Amino acid sequence: MTTTAPGSSGVRLAAETWESLFRSQVAVMRRLQAGQAFKKLPIKEYDVLFTLSRCPTGKLRLNEINDHVLLSQSSLSRLVERLEKRGLVERSTAPDDGRGILLGLTPAGQELQKEIGREHVRDIAELVAPALTADEQRELLRLTQKLQAFVASK
Amino acid sequence: MTTTAPGSSGVRLAAETWESLFRSQVAVMRRLQAGQAFKKLPIKEYDVLFTLSRCPTGKLRLNEINDHVLLSQSSLSRLVERLEKRGLVERSTAPDDGRGILLGLTPAGQELQKEIGREHVRDIAELVAPALTADEQRELLRLTQKLQAFVASK
DNA sequence: CAGTGATACATGCAAATGCATCTATTTTGG
DNA sequence: CCAAAATAGATGCATTTGCATGTATCACTG
């Protein structure tokens, strides 16, 4: 068994852990956002293109995307509206649910996603790879996946 | 030495690690934001009160706070304006730098921070503590601190 | 299968945010 | 010591965001 410091019952550790996870995310995100890549498209909009590009079928429901992103439903609706106006995504009605909207990348959207993605991945690698060993990165990956899985299942 | 998978030279691992860190942060933040505690004060505004409460001197410069938070300088300036209007913080001119502003909590601000903080810490513990063992939390804490330190030093 | 509630997304509107710029102060270099 | 550049923070203004609500479709229940 793992003992905790007397009187804190693990609450303090959890709080410190979250605080550190959050601040590290802020620090990294700040740098990434400043990258040249996001002069072309805000990072939140890029994230939607990226999410679509990762999806096997190439199309996702708006509410599925919403789970991935820290935006209200209405903000995502408008963000997608902007992407559509720029010709980067296409809405289509979901075949099995008349209420739903399926979102997919246009060829221009795919192109822009790849273009920004290349730069973005370089920036990430420059920031993360020298900070942690490969083993540490794998462990961080595992722990954050585990945390995410627990939160999603709750 | 730790070898990387052929052809990916660590770039892929770094990207996956960041992606997972980011998504886990989104998932946890989404839950925390929805907590009862943040009906009283938006989480971003609470974060400023919290940051001030942690500071030994009790006062911080606006630009120091800005480093901690994912907001532009002007947005922070206005956020602080709102906190001031609600009587939660006080601006004072920095003694050693006529351009600077020192920000401190008022008694009401301290009170509200503690009140929200208690609830918030409970929510964090409910979300994080059951997801990871204490050892895993300590390791996640260590890795995110290391990442943050590297980014800050760059 | 009608009626009630839930879900998916859109929209009006007020508030928050960021960019560009402004003022004031400090720092630097000659 | 002075002029030029840098830094801290505030502010005008356009864009983005979220809350509340609206509309349409789906699911459940008796």
Side-chain angles (χ1 to χ4, degrees):
Chain A
M1 133 175 205
T2 304
T3 53
T4 54
S8 68
S9 72
V11 170
R12 184 176 190 79
L13 175 59
E16 274 183 40
T17 302
W18 162 247
E19 161 89 354
S20 182
L21 173 59
F22 174 62
R23 299 291 171 209
S24 68
Q25 191 270 337
V26 168
V28 173
M29 181 58 89
R30 201 172 249 302
R31 297 302 190 96
L32 293 178
Q33 248 176 340
Q36 204 55 34
F38 299 110
K39 294 291 182 187
K40 297 166 185 167
L41 195 74
I43 194 164
K44 284 176 181 174
E45 300 188 13
Y46 167 76
D47 194 25
V48 170
L49 300 191
F50 172 76
T51 301
L52 286 170
S53 79
R54 290 279 125 188
C55 166
T57 72
K59 303 202 170 203
L60 285 172
R61 292 285 295 269
L62 289 192
N63 58 357
E64 295 176 303
I65 297 174
N66 218 149
D67 292 337
H68 245 226
V69 158
L70 203 53
L71 275 178
S72 70
Q73 179 267 319
S74 60
S75 297
L76 178 62
S77 182
R78 256 110 180 202
L79 187 154
V80 166
E81 187 175 83
R82 293 193 297 274
L83 291 176
E84 200 176 22
K85 253 174 210 152
R86 288 183 60 172
L88 301 172
V89 301
E90 267 173 350
R91 285 179 218 249
S92 53
T93 56
D96 56 330
D97 186 340
R99 298 164 299 179
I101 296 289
L102 271 180
L103 199 69
L105 292 172
T106 63
Q110 283 188 22
E111 197 46 53
L112 185 59
Q113 186 280 314
K114 280 187 213 161
E115 187 184 325
I116 295 179
R118 275 189 292 269
E119 276 188 74
H120 185 42
V121 165
R122 257 198 302 278
D123 291 346
I124 294 170
E126 269 178 42
L127 220 51
V128 175
L132 302 170
T133 69
D135 281 342
E136 286 174 332
Q137 289 177 59
R138 275 186 282 269
E139 184 65 0
L140 181 53
L141 175 59
R142 185 183 76 82
L143 294 171
T144 50
Q145 279 174 341
K146 191 176 176 187
L147 174 59
Q148 194 182 350
F150 176 79
V151 172
S153 77
K154 207 165 173 261
Chain B
M1 133 173 209
T2 303
T3 53
T4 53
S8 67
S9 71
V11 171
R12 185 178 190 78
L13 175 59
E16 274 182 40
T17 302
W18 162 248
E19 162 89 356
S20 183
L21 173 59
F22 174 63
R23 297 293 172 209
S24 67
Q25 190 271 338
V26 168
V28 173
M29 181 58 89
R30 203 172 247 303
R31 296 301 188 98
L32 293 178
Q33 248 177 342
Q36 203 55 36
F38 300 110
K39 294 293 183 187
K40 298 167 185 168
L41 195 74
I43 194 164
K44 284 175 182 176
E45 301 187 12
Y46 167 76
D47 194 24
V48 170
L49 301 191
F50 172 77
T51 300
L52 287 171
S53 78
R54 290 278 125 189
C55 168
T57 74
K59 304 204 171 203
L60 285 172
R61 293 285 295 269
L62 289 192
N63 58 357
E64 295 175 305
I65 298 174
N66 218 149
D67 292 338
H68 243 227
V69 157
L70 203 53
L71 276 178
S72 70
Q73 178 268 320
S74 60
S75 297
L76 177 63
S77 180
R78 258 119 177 191
L79 188 155
V80 166
E81 188 176 83
R82 293 194 297 274
L83 291 176
E84 202 177 20
K85 255 175 209 151
R86 287 182 61 170
L88 301 172
V89 300
E90 268 173 349
R91 284 180 219 248
S92 53
T93 57
D96 56 330
D97 186 339
R99 298 165 299 180
I101 295 290
L102 272 180
L103 200 68
L105 291 173
T106 63
Q110 284 189 21
E111 198 45 56
L112 184 58
Q113 187 280 313
K114 281 187 211 160
E115 186 185 326
I116 295 178
R118 276 189 292 270
E119 278 189 72
H120 185 42
V121 166
R122 256 199 303 279
D123 290 345
I124 294 170
E126 269 179 41
L127 220 51
V128 174
L132 301 170
T133 69
D135 281 342
E136 285 174 332
Q137 289 176 59
R138 276 186 281 269
E139 183 65 1
L140 181 53
L141 175 59
R142 186 184 75 81
L143 294 171
T144 50
Q145 279 174 342
K146 191 175 177 188
L147 174 59
Q148 194 184 348
F150 176 80
V151 172
S153 76
K154 213 174 168 249

